[in-house]
Amino acid sequence: MAIQFLDMRIAQTSTSDLPGLPLAAGAAPYTFGDIGLQTVQAAPGNTGLVRVTLNAFVRMAVGPSTGMGTDDVILSIYRNGTLIFASSYPGDLTAAGTAYELAGVTAVDYPPAAAVLGGQIQYTAVLTTFRNVTLGARSFSGFAVAGTN
Amino acid sequence: MSIQFLDMRMSQDSTMDTPPVSLARNGYVFGNIGLQTAGLAPGNAALVRVTLSAYVRLTVYPSVIVSNDITFGIYRNNSLIFSTVYPGDITELNNIYKLVNITAVDYPPAADVLAGQIQYTAVVSAIRNADLGARSFSGIAVAG
């Protein structure tokens, strides 16, 4: 089926680094992006041909290791509650001071036809940390298209 | 001509950091897409714009030789159109982790647009030892 643009949605959680959002090591996972991409316009032959690109940004001020056994700050993306992407920032385990990371992630997804036929696909961007971290500016954006030619 | 959406294509090389691809002073293609331009309106062939996003989670091992670059390159139909380098810290003794997210943009020539498909490839090469974790590549084309 013909290529078609479906939707772009964004989550604008914070447009600047201040005020920062402190997360303690081991805190509950924090959702900084939650979007619902609309797929009702997908042509009947395109429901199995949907492609999604997701961009997330978080500015992190990462404190020294807390010795919890792991030191990761993990960026995860979920589709309708199912994990589809995860990447971690372990940082420098020996650093004594605060490290700053402008963490940008691009994830891509081929949602199953059943999710497309639901009319809306929810994508959430979640941060899980095992060290103390303060979040600055945070953005999340998703872009959906369908069709192959 | 009026503005039109043409296509978005992407490569999903790895959605997780493990298992990694280990580079030992060599290169690796982590993205390879063919943006379709056949839906182009007449008059828009020279007015195509492309935004490319690439992500690689890097584990950079301590330096082993004099040059220490990790180079990211993006090619259009095998011509280099974008390149950027992470030299790292040559004196660092520990592994360093980088969430590398690159945005590149391109104005493809009309001849490439009229061929109906434009290939973009994303390549990383290391002159040191490095592991590649999660890897994504995406391109969006519009015209007019």
Side-chain angles (χ1 to χ4, degrees), chain A residues 3-5 51-53 55-56 75 83-92 94 101-110 143 145 147-149, chain B residues 5-12 14-17 36 53-55 57 92 94-102 133-140:
Chain A
I3 293 167
Q4 53 176 164
F5 167 74
R51 306 181 285 284
V52 174
T53 293
N55 290 300
L75 287 163
L83 181 68
I84 58 156
F85 179 90
S87 196
S88 73
Y89 176 71
D92 182 346
T94 64
E101 182 74 10
L102 308 184
V105 166
T106 296
V108 298
D109 187 41
Y110 298 97
F143 193 97
V145 309
T148 53
N149 51 40
Chain B
F5 166 74
L6 292 178
D7 196 13
M8 179 183 80
R9 299 280 162 153
M10 65 232 193
S11 288
Q12 189 176 42
S14 176
T15 62
M16 299 286 156
D17 293 334
Q36 304 300 304
S53 300
Y55 176 75
R57 192 266 215 173
E92 175 68 50
N94 297 303
N95 290 354
I96 294 296
Y97 301 91
K98 293 298 289 182
L99 309 184
V100 179
N101 198 2
I102 292 169
R135 305 176 293 284
S136 312
F137 184 54
S138 176
I140 297 175

Short mmCIF file of all heavy atoms in Angstrom, two decimals, chain A residues 3-5 51-53 55-56 75 83-92 94 101-110 143 145 147-149, chain B residues 5-12 14-17 36 53-55 57 92 94-102 133-140:
data_model
loop_
_atom_site.label_atom_id
_atom_site.label_comp_id
_atom_site.label_asym_id
_atom_site.label_seq_id
_atom_site.Cartn_x
_atom_site.Cartn_y
_atom_site.Cartn_z
N ILE A 3 2.63 4.71 0.83
CA ILE A 3 3.21 5.25 2.07
C ILE A 3 2.32 6.38 2.58
O ILE A 3 1.88 7.24 1.81
CB ILE A 3 4.63 5.76 1.80
CG1 ILE A 3 5.55 4.58 1.45
CG2 ILE A 3 5.16 6.51 3.01
CD1 ILE A 3 6.88 5.00 0.88
N GLN A 4 2.05 6.37 3.87
CA GLN A 4 1.23 7.44 4.44
C GLN A 4 1.79 7.88 5.79
O GLN A 4 2.28 7.07 6.58
CB GLN A 4 -0.23 7.00 4.58
CG GLN A 4 -0.43 5.70 5.34
CD GLN A 4 -1.89 5.34 5.55
OE1 GLN A 4 -2.20 4.22 5.88
NE2 GLN A 4 -2.80 6.29 5.41
N PHE A 5 1.70 9.17 6.02
CA PHE A 5 2.03 9.73 7.32
C PHE A 5 0.83 9.51 8.24
O PHE A 5 -0.31 9.77 7.87
CB PHE A 5 2.31 11.23 7.18
CG PHE A 5 2.37 11.95 8.49
CD1 PHE A 5 3.46 11.81 9.34
CD2 PHE A 5 1.33 12.77 8.90
CE1 PHE A 5 3.50 12.47 10.56
CE2 PHE A 5 1.36 13.44 10.12
CZ PHE A 5 2.45 13.28 10.94
N ARG A 51 5.52 1.85 10.91
CA ARG A 51 6.87 2.08 11.44
C ARG A 51 6.82 3.30 12.38
O ARG A 51 6.15 4.29 12.07
CB ARG A 51 7.87 2.37 10.31
CG ARG A 51 7.90 1.31 9.24
CD ARG A 51 8.91 1.63 8.15
NE ARG A 51 8.51 2.68 7.23
CZ ARG A 51 7.63 2.54 6.25
NH1 ARG A 51 7.00 1.40 6.09
NH2 ARG A 51 7.35 3.55 5.45
N VAL A 52 7.56 3.20 13.46
CA VAL A 52 7.55 4.27 14.46
C VAL A 52 8.99 4.62 14.83
O VAL A 52 9.80 3.73 15.10
CB VAL A 52 6.77 3.84 15.72
CG1 VAL A 52 6.88 4.90 16.81
CG2 VAL A 52 5.31 3.58 15.37
N THR A 53 9.30 5.91 14.81
CA THR A 53 10.58 6.39 15.32
C THR A 53 10.31 7.22 16.57
O THR A 53 9.43 8.08 16.57
CB THR A 53 11.31 7.25 14.27
OG1 THR A 53 11.71 6.43 13.18
CG2 THR A 53 12.56 7.88 14.86
N ASN A 55 12.12 9.56 19.69
CA ASN A 55 13.30 10.29 20.16
C ASN A 55 13.05 10.76 21.59
O ASN A 55 12.00 11.33 21.88
CB ASN A 55 13.56 11.52 19.27
CG ASN A 55 14.04 11.13 17.89
OD1 ASN A 55 15.07 10.49 17.73
ND2 ASN A 55 13.28 11.51 16.89
N ALA A 56 14.04 10.50 22.45
CA ALA A 56 13.93 10.92 23.85
C ALA A 56 15.20 11.65 24.24
O ALA A 56 16.30 11.31 23.79
CB ALA A 56 13.72 9.71 24.76
N LEU A 75 17.42 3.93 30.43
CA LEU A 75 16.34 4.56 29.66
C LEU A 75 15.58 3.45 28.96
O LEU A 75 16.14 2.71 28.15
CB LEU A 75 16.93 5.51 28.62
CG LEU A 75 17.51 6.82 29.17
CD1 LEU A 75 18.41 7.48 28.14
CD2 LEU A 75 16.39 7.76 29.55
N LEU A 83 8.00 -3.76 27.11
CA LEU A 83 9.32 -3.18 26.88
C LEU A 83 9.77 -3.46 25.46
O LEU A 83 9.81 -4.60 25.02
CB LEU A 83 10.32 -3.79 27.87
CG LEU A 83 11.75 -3.25 27.77
CD1 LEU A 83 11.82 -1.79 28.22
CD2 LEU A 83 12.71 -4.10 28.60
N ILE A 84 10.12 -2.39 24.73
CA ILE A 84 10.60 -2.58 23.36
C ILE A 84 12.01 -2.06 23.17
O ILE A 84 12.62 -2.31 22.13
CB ILE A 84 9.68 -1.88 22.33
CG1 ILE A 84 9.58 -0.38 22.63
CG2 ILE A 84 8.31 -2.54 22.29
CD1 ILE A 84 9.20 0.44 21.43
N PHE A 85 12.54 -1.32 24.14
CA PHE A 85 13.89 -0.75 23.97
C PHE A 85 14.43 -0.39 25.35
O PHE A 85 13.70 0.14 26.19
CB PHE A 85 13.83 0.51 23.10
CG PHE A 85 15.15 1.20 22.88
CD1 PHE A 85 15.95 0.86 21.80
CD2 PHE A 85 15.59 2.18 23.75
CE1 PHE A 85 17.18 1.48 21.59
CE2 PHE A 85 16.82 2.80 23.55
CZ PHE A 85 17.60 2.46 22.47
N ALA A 86 15.71 -0.70 25.57
CA ALA A 86 16.36 -0.27 26.81
C ALA A 86 17.84 -0.06 26.55
O ALA A 86 18.47 -0.83 25.82
CB ALA A 86 16.16 -1.30 27.92
N SER A 87 18.37 1.01 27.13
CA SER A 87 19.79 1.28 27.00
C SER A 87 20.23 1.96 28.29
O SER A 87 19.51 2.78 28.84
CB SER A 87 20.06 2.17 25.78
OG SER A 87 21.41 2.14 25.41
N SER A 88 21.42 1.59 28.76
CA SER A 88 21.81 2.09 30.09
C SER A 88 23.04 2.97 30.02
O SER A 88 23.89 2.84 29.13
CB SER A 88 22.07 0.91 31.03
OG SER A 88 23.28 0.27 30.68
N TYR A 89 23.11 3.87 30.98
CA TYR A 89 24.29 4.72 31.18
C TYR A 89 24.91 4.33 32.50
O TYR A 89 24.43 4.75 33.56
CB TYR A 89 23.88 6.20 31.19
CG TYR A 89 25.02 7.12 31.49
CD1 TYR A 89 26.03 7.32 30.56
CD2 TYR A 89 25.12 7.77 32.71
CE1 TYR A 89 27.10 8.14 30.84
CE2 TYR A 89 26.18 8.61 32.99
CZ TYR A 89 27.17 8.79 32.05
OH TYR A 89 28.22 9.60 32.33
N PRO A 90 25.94 3.50 32.48
CA PRO A 90 26.56 3.10 33.74
C PRO A 90 27.45 4.20 34.34
O PRO A 90 27.77 4.15 35.52
CB PRO A 90 27.41 1.88 33.36
CG PRO A 90 26.97 1.52 31.98
CD PRO A 90 26.51 2.78 31.35
N GLY A 91 27.83 5.17 33.52
CA GLY A 91 28.68 6.23 34.04
C GLY A 91 30.05 5.72 34.41
O GLY A 91 30.47 4.64 34.01
N ASP A 92 30.73 6.49 35.20
CA ASP A 92 32.07 6.14 35.66
C ASP A 92 31.94 5.69 37.12
O ASP A 92 31.60 6.49 37.99
CB ASP A 92 32.99 7.35 35.54
CG ASP A 92 34.41 7.03 35.97
OD1 ASP A 92 34.63 5.98 36.62
OD2 ASP A 92 35.30 7.84 35.69
N THR A 94 34.04 5.01 39.24
CA THR A 94 35.05 5.52 40.17
C THR A 94 34.97 7.03 40.37
O THR A 94 35.72 7.58 41.19
CB THR A 94 36.46 5.17 39.66
OG1 THR A 94 36.66 5.86 38.42
CG2 THR A 94 36.61 3.67 39.45
N GLU A 101 25.47 14.24 31.81
CA GLU A 101 25.29 13.53 30.54
C GLU A 101 24.06 14.09 29.84
O GLU A 101 22.97 14.15 30.44
CB GLU A 101 25.13 12.03 30.81
CG GLU A 101 25.00 11.18 29.57
CD GLU A 101 26.30 10.98 28.79
OE1 GLU A 101 27.37 11.36 29.30
OE2 GLU A 101 26.24 10.48 27.67
N LEU A 102 24.24 14.49 28.59
CA LEU A 102 23.10 14.88 27.75
C LEU A 102 22.68 13.61 27.03
O LEU A 102 23.25 13.25 26.01
CB LEU A 102 23.50 15.97 26.76
CG LEU A 102 24.19 17.21 27.35
CD1 LEU A 102 24.43 18.24 26.27
CD2 LEU A 102 23.37 17.81 28.48
N ALA A 103 21.71 12.92 27.60
CA ALA A 103 21.37 11.59 27.13
C ALA A 103 20.26 11.67 26.10
O ALA A 103 19.11 11.95 26.42
CB ALA A 103 20.95 10.71 28.29
N GLY A 104 20.61 11.42 24.86
CA GLY A 104 19.63 11.36 23.78
C GLY A 104 19.54 9.95 23.25
O GLY A 104 20.55 9.26 23.11
N VAL A 105 18.33 9.53 22.97
CA VAL A 105 18.11 8.16 22.50
C VAL A 105 17.17 8.21 21.30
O VAL A 105 16.20 8.97 21.30
CB VAL A 105 17.48 7.30 23.62
CG1 VAL A 105 16.92 6.01 23.06
CG2 VAL A 105 18.49 7.01 24.70
N THR A 106 17.48 7.42 20.28
CA THR A 106 16.54 7.18 19.18
C THR A 106 16.21 5.70 19.19
O THR A 106 17.11 4.86 19.14
CB THR A 106 17.16 7.57 17.83
OG1 THR A 106 17.41 8.97 17.81
CG2 THR A 106 16.21 7.21 16.68
N ALA A 107 14.93 5.39 19.28
CA ALA A 107 14.48 4.00 19.22
C ALA A 107 13.50 3.86 18.07
O ALA A 107 12.82 4.83 17.71
CB ALA A 107 13.80 3.60 20.53
N VAL A 108 13.43 2.68 17.50
CA VAL A 108 12.51 2.43 16.39
C VAL A 108 11.68 1.19 16.70
O VAL A 108 12.12 0.32 17.45
CB VAL A 108 13.26 2.29 15.05
CG1 VAL A 108 13.99 3.58 14.71
CG2 VAL A 108 14.21 1.12 15.06
N ASP A 109 10.49 1.14 16.12
CA ASP A 109 9.58 0.04 16.45
C ASP A 109 8.69 -0.29 15.25
O ASP A 109 8.27 0.61 14.52
CB ASP A 109 8.70 0.43 17.65
CG ASP A 109 7.85 -0.73 18.15
OD1 ASP A 109 8.36 -1.86 18.21
OD2 ASP A 109 6.66 -0.51 18.48
N TYR A 110 8.45 -1.59 15.07
CA TYR A 110 7.45 -2.07 14.11
C TYR A 110 6.29 -2.61 14.93
O TYR A 110 6.31 -3.78 15.34
CB TYR A 110 8.03 -3.17 13.23
CG TYR A 110 9.21 -2.73 12.37
CD1 TYR A 110 10.51 -2.96 12.78
CD2 TYR A 110 9.00 -2.09 11.16
CE1 TYR A 110 11.59 -2.57 12.00
CE2 TYR A 110 10.06 -1.69 10.37
CZ TYR A 110 11.36 -1.93 10.79
OH TYR A 110 12.42 -1.53 10.02
N PHE A 143 6.88 9.35 16.00
CA PHE A 143 6.51 9.66 14.62
C PHE A 143 6.11 8.35 13.97
O PHE A 143 6.88 7.40 13.99
CB PHE A 143 7.75 10.26 13.95
CG PHE A 143 7.52 10.93 12.63
CD1 PHE A 143 7.36 12.30 12.55
CD2 PHE A 143 7.51 10.20 11.45
CE1 PHE A 143 7.19 12.93 11.32
CE2 PHE A 143 7.34 10.82 10.22
CZ PHE A 143 7.18 12.19 10.16
N VAL A 145 4.45 6.20 10.61
CA VAL A 145 4.08 6.15 9.20
C VAL A 145 3.66 4.72 8.87
O VAL A 145 3.86 3.80 9.66
CB VAL A 145 5.25 6.59 8.28
CG1 VAL A 145 5.81 7.92 8.72
CG2 VAL A 145 6.33 5.55 8.24
N GLY A 147 2.92 1.83 5.28
CA GLY A 147 3.01 1.57 3.85
C GLY A 147 4.42 1.47 3.34
O GLY A 147 5.36 1.96 3.96
N THR A 148 4.57 0.83 2.18
CA THR A 148 5.92 0.53 1.70
C THR A 148 6.24 1.14 0.34
O THR A 148 7.40 1.17 -0.06
CB THR A 148 6.11 -0.99 1.59
OG1 THR A 148 5.05 -1.53 0.82
CG2 THR A 148 6.14 -1.63 2.96
N ASN A 149 5.24 1.59 -0.41
CA ASN A 149 5.62 2.10 -1.73
C ASN A 149 4.67 3.19 -2.20
O ASN A 149 3.78 3.59 -1.49
CB ASN A 149 5.70 0.96 -2.74
CG ASN A 149 4.43 0.10 -2.74
OD1 ASN A 149 3.32 0.64 -2.62
ND2 ASN A 149 4.60 -1.19 -2.83
N PHE B 5 4.93 14.87 2.72
CA PHE B 5 5.68 13.81 3.40
C PHE B 5 5.99 12.72 2.38
O PHE B 5 5.11 12.31 1.62
CB PHE B 5 4.84 13.25 4.55
CG PHE B 5 5.36 11.94 5.09
CD1 PHE B 5 6.50 11.91 5.87
CD2 PHE B 5 4.72 10.76 4.80
CE1 PHE B 5 6.99 10.72 6.36
CE2 PHE B 5 5.20 9.55 5.28
CZ PHE B 5 6.33 9.53 6.06
N LEU B 6 7.23 12.24 2.37
CA LEU B 6 7.59 11.19 1.42
C LEU B 6 7.70 9.82 2.08
O LEU B 6 7.04 8.87 1.68
CB LEU B 6 8.91 11.53 0.73
CG LEU B 6 8.89 12.73 -0.22
CD1 LEU B 6 10.28 12.96 -0.80
CD2 LEU B 6 7.89 12.51 -1.34
N ASP B 7 8.55 9.70 3.09
CA ASP B 7 8.78 8.36 3.66
C ASP B 7 9.57 8.48 4.95
O ASP B 7 10.28 9.46 5.18
CB ASP B 7 9.56 7.50 2.66
CG ASP B 7 9.52 6.01 2.97
OD1 ASP B 7 8.69 5.60 3.82
OD2 ASP B 7 10.30 5.26 2.37
N MET B 8 9.40 7.45 5.78
CA MET B 8 10.29 7.24 6.92
C MET B 8 10.68 5.76 6.90
O MET B 8 9.82 4.89 6.77
CB MET B 8 9.60 7.56 8.24
CG MET B 8 10.52 7.31 9.43
SD MET B 8 9.72 7.61 11.03
CE MET B 8 8.79 6.10 11.25
N ARG B 9 11.96 5.51 7.03
CA ARG B 9 12.46 4.13 7.11
C ARG B 9 13.44 4.05 8.27
O ARG B 9 14.06 5.05 8.64
CB ARG B 9 13.18 3.72 5.82
CG ARG B 9 12.30 3.74 4.60
CD ARG B 9 11.43 2.52 4.50
NE ARG B 9 10.32 2.76 3.58
CZ ARG B 9 9.70 1.80 2.89
NH1 ARG B 9 10.08 0.54 3.01
NH2 ARG B 9 8.70 2.11 2.10
N MET B 10 13.62 2.84 8.79
CA MET B 10 14.52 2.72 9.93
C MET B 10 15.15 1.34 9.99
O MET B 10 14.68 0.39 9.37
CB MET B 10 13.78 3.05 11.21
CG MET B 10 12.69 2.09 11.53
SD MET B 10 11.11 2.84 11.86
CE MET B 10 10.30 1.39 12.56
N SER B 11 16.24 1.27 10.73
CA SER B 11 16.94 0.02 11.01
C SER B 11 16.92 -0.21 12.51
O SER B 11 17.24 0.68 13.30
CB SER B 11 18.39 0.07 10.54
OG SER B 11 18.48 0.04 9.15
N GLN B 12 16.54 -1.43 12.88
CA GLN B 12 16.43 -1.80 14.29
C GLN B 12 17.51 -2.85 14.56
O GLN B 12 17.23 -4.03 14.64
CB GLN B 12 15.03 -2.36 14.54
CG GLN B 12 14.69 -2.60 16.00
CD GLN B 12 13.25 -3.05 16.16
OE1 GLN B 12 12.77 -3.87 15.39
NE2 GLN B 12 12.55 -2.52 17.14
N SER B 14 19.64 -3.29 17.19
CA SER B 14 19.56 -3.92 18.51
C SER B 14 18.73 -3.04 19.42
O SER B 14 18.97 -1.83 19.50
CB SER B 14 20.95 -4.13 19.12
OG SER B 14 20.82 -4.65 20.43
N THR B 15 17.76 -3.63 20.11
CA THR B 15 16.92 -2.84 21.02
C THR B 15 17.44 -2.88 22.45
O THR B 15 16.85 -2.25 23.32
CB THR B 15 15.47 -3.36 21.01
OG1 THR B 15 15.46 -4.72 21.48
CG2 THR B 15 14.88 -3.32 19.61
N MET B 16 18.52 -3.62 22.68
CA MET B 16 19.07 -3.75 24.04
C MET B 16 20.60 -3.58 23.96
O MET B 16 21.20 -3.74 22.90
CB MET B 16 18.75 -5.13 24.62
CG MET B 16 17.25 -5.43 24.75
SD MET B 16 16.48 -4.54 26.11
CE MET B 16 14.77 -4.49 25.54
N ASP B 17 21.22 -3.34 25.10
CA ASP B 17 22.67 -3.19 25.14
C ASP B 17 23.39 -4.54 25.05
O ASP B 17 24.58 -4.58 24.70
CB ASP B 17 23.09 -2.49 26.43
CG ASP B 17 22.62 -1.04 26.48
OD1 ASP B 17 22.43 -0.45 25.40
OD2 ASP B 17 22.44 -0.52 27.58
N GLN B 36 11.99 5.90 0.16
CA GLN B 36 11.25 5.89 -1.10
C GLN B 36 10.87 7.31 -1.50
O GLN B 36 10.27 8.05 -0.70
CB GLN B 36 9.99 5.03 -0.97
CG GLN B 36 10.28 3.61 -0.51
CD GLN B 36 11.19 2.86 -1.47
OE1 GLN B 36 10.91 2.74 -2.64
NE2 GLN B 36 12.32 2.38 -0.95
N SER B 53 18.45 10.17 12.12
CA SER B 53 18.77 10.04 13.53
C SER B 53 19.42 8.69 13.77
O SER B 53 18.92 7.67 13.29
CB SER B 53 17.51 10.14 14.39
OG SER B 53 16.88 11.38 14.20
N ALA B 54 20.53 8.71 14.49
CA ALA B 54 21.24 7.47 14.79
C ALA B 54 21.52 7.40 16.27
O ALA B 54 21.84 8.42 16.90
CB ALA B 54 22.55 7.38 14.00
N TYR B 55 21.41 6.21 16.83
CA TYR B 55 21.74 6.01 18.24
C TYR B 55 22.64 4.79 18.39
O TYR B 55 22.36 3.74 17.79
CB TYR B 55 20.48 5.80 19.09
CG TYR B 55 20.80 5.48 20.53
CD1 TYR B 55 21.22 6.48 21.40
CD2 TYR B 55 20.73 4.17 21.01
CE1 TYR B 55 21.54 6.19 22.70
CE2 TYR B 55 21.06 3.88 22.33
CZ TYR B 55 21.46 4.90 23.17
OH TYR B 55 21.80 4.61 24.47
N ARG B 57 24.81 2.99 21.78
CA ARG B 57 25.35 3.04 23.14
C ARG B 57 26.76 2.43 23.07
O ARG B 57 26.93 1.29 22.69
CB ARG B 57 24.46 2.25 24.08
CG ARG B 57 24.80 2.48 25.54
CD ARG B 57 25.74 1.43 26.06
NE ARG B 57 25.44 1.14 27.44
CZ ARG B 57 26.02 0.17 28.12
NH1 ARG B 57 26.92 -0.60 27.56
NH2 ARG B 57 25.68 -0.06 29.35
N GLU B 92 42.49 7.90 29.97
CA GLU B 92 41.52 7.24 30.85
C GLU B 92 41.87 5.77 31.02
O GLU B 92 42.14 5.07 30.05
CB GLU B 92 40.11 7.41 30.26
CG GLU B 92 39.01 6.68 30.99
CD GLU B 92 38.74 7.25 32.37
OE1 GLU B 92 38.56 8.47 32.49
OE2 GLU B 92 38.70 6.45 33.33
N ASN B 94 39.75 3.61 32.80
CA ASN B 94 38.53 2.82 32.97
C ASN B 94 37.70 2.82 31.69
O ASN B 94 37.91 3.65 30.81
CB ASN B 94 37.68 3.41 34.10
CG ASN B 94 38.38 3.34 35.43
OD1 ASN B 94 38.77 2.28 35.88
ND2 ASN B 94 38.58 4.50 36.04
N ASN B 95 36.74 1.92 31.63
CA ASN B 95 35.78 1.95 30.53
C ASN B 95 34.91 3.19 30.65
O ASN B 95 34.50 3.58 31.75
CB ASN B 95 34.88 0.72 30.58
CG ASN B 95 35.62 -0.54 30.21
OD1 ASN B 95 36.78 -0.50 29.81
ND2 ASN B 95 34.94 -1.67 30.34
N ILE B 96 34.62 3.80 29.51
CA ILE B 96 33.76 4.98 29.46
C ILE B 96 32.51 4.61 28.67
O ILE B 96 32.60 3.89 27.66
CB ILE B 96 34.49 6.15 28.76
CG1 ILE B 96 35.68 6.60 29.60
CG2 ILE B 96 33.55 7.33 28.52
CD1 ILE B 96 35.32 7.17 30.94
N TYR B 97 31.37 5.11 29.11
CA TYR B 97 30.10 4.81 28.44
C TYR B 97 29.55 6.09 27.83
O TYR B 97 29.53 7.14 28.48
CB TYR B 97 29.10 4.22 29.43
CG TYR B 97 29.60 2.95 30.06
CD1 TYR B 97 30.32 2.98 31.25
CD2 TYR B 97 29.39 1.72 29.44
CE1 TYR B 97 30.81 1.81 31.81
CE2 TYR B 97 29.88 0.55 30.00
CZ TYR B 97 30.59 0.60 31.19
OH TYR B 97 31.08 -0.56 31.73
N LYS B 98 29.13 6.01 26.58
CA LYS B 98 28.54 7.16 25.91
C LYS B 98 27.23 6.74 25.25
O LYS B 98 27.17 5.72 24.57
CB LYS B 98 29.47 7.69 24.81
CG LYS B 98 30.77 8.29 25.31
CD LYS B 98 30.57 9.50 26.19
CE LYS B 98 30.08 10.71 25.43
NZ LYS B 98 29.94 11.88 26.36
N LEU B 99 26.19 7.56 25.48
CA LEU B 99 24.94 7.39 24.75
C LEU B 99 25.04 8.33 23.55
O LEU B 99 24.81 9.53 23.69
CB LEU B 99 23.74 7.74 25.62
CG LEU B 99 23.68 7.07 27.01
CD1 LEU B 99 22.37 7.44 27.71
CD2 LEU B 99 23.81 5.57 26.91
N VAL B 100 25.43 7.79 22.42
CA VAL B 100 25.71 8.62 21.25
C VAL B 100 24.44 8.75 20.42
O VAL B 100 23.93 7.76 19.90
CB VAL B 100 26.83 8.00 20.39
CG1 VAL B 100 27.08 8.86 19.16
CG2 VAL B 100 28.09 7.84 21.22
N ASN B 101 23.94 9.96 20.30
CA ASN B 101 22.74 10.22 19.51
C ASN B 101 23.07 11.32 18.52
O ASN B 101 23.39 12.43 18.91
CB ASN B 101 21.59 10.65 20.44
CG ASN B 101 20.23 10.52 19.77
OD1 ASN B 101 20.12 10.09 18.64
ND2 ASN B 101 19.21 10.91 20.49
N ILE B 102 23.00 10.96 17.24
CA ILE B 102 23.42 11.87 16.17
C ILE B 102 22.21 12.27 15.34
O ILE B 102 21.39 11.42 14.99
CB ILE B 102 24.48 11.19 15.28
CG1 ILE B 102 25.76 10.98 16.08
CG2 ILE B 102 24.74 11.99 14.02
CD1 ILE B 102 26.75 10.09 15.39
N GLY B 133 26.27 -1.17 22.11
CA GLY B 133 25.07 -1.71 22.74
C GLY B 133 23.86 -1.49 21.83
O GLY B 133 23.91 -1.80 20.65
N ALA B 134 22.79 -0.95 22.37
CA ALA B 134 21.59 -0.71 21.58
C ALA B 134 21.92 0.19 20.38
O ALA B 134 22.74 1.11 20.49
CB ALA B 134 20.51 -0.05 22.44
N ARG B 135 21.28 -0.12 19.22
CA ARG B 135 21.59 0.59 17.99
C ARG B 135 20.32 0.82 17.17
O ARG B 135 19.58 -0.12 16.91
CB ARG B 135 22.58 -0.21 17.14
CG ARG B 135 23.86 -0.58 17.86
CD ARG B 135 24.78 -1.46 17.03
NE ARG B 135 24.27 -2.79 16.77
CZ ARG B 135 24.25 -3.79 17.65
NH1 ARG B 135 24.69 -3.60 18.88
NH2 ARG B 135 23.78 -4.97 17.31
N SER B 136 20.10 2.09 16.79
CA SER B 136 18.94 2.45 15.96
C SER B 136 19.39 3.41 14.87
O SER B 136 20.36 4.15 15.03
CB SER B 136 17.86 3.16 16.79
OG SER B 136 17.57 2.48 17.98
N PHE B 137 18.63 3.41 13.79
CA PHE B 137 18.87 4.38 12.71
C PHE B 137 17.53 4.68 12.05
O PHE B 137 16.74 3.76 11.82
CB PHE B 137 19.86 3.80 11.69
CG PHE B 137 20.25 4.75 10.59
CD1 PHE B 137 20.76 6.00 10.87
CD2 PHE B 137 20.15 4.38 9.24
CE1 PHE B 137 21.14 6.88 9.85
CE2 PHE B 137 20.53 5.24 8.22
CZ PHE B 137 21.03 6.48 8.53
N SER B 138 17.26 5.96 11.77
CA SER B 138 15.97 6.34 11.22
C SER B 138 16.15 7.53 10.29
O SER B 138 16.95 8.43 10.56
CB SER B 138 15.01 6.70 12.35
OG SER B 138 13.79 7.17 11.84
N GLY B 139 15.40 7.52 9.19
CA GLY B 139 15.45 8.64 8.26
C GLY B 139 14.05 9.06 7.85
O GLY B 139 13.19 8.21 7.62
N ILE B 140 13.83 10.37 7.76
CA ILE B 140 12.54 10.92 7.34
C ILE B 140 12.80 11.85 6.15
O ILE B 140 13.70 12.70 6.21
CB ILE B 140 11.86 11.70 8.49
CG1 ILE B 140 11.55 10.76 9.65
CG2 ILE B 140 10.58 12.38 7.99
CD1 ILE B 140 11.00 11.47 10.87
#
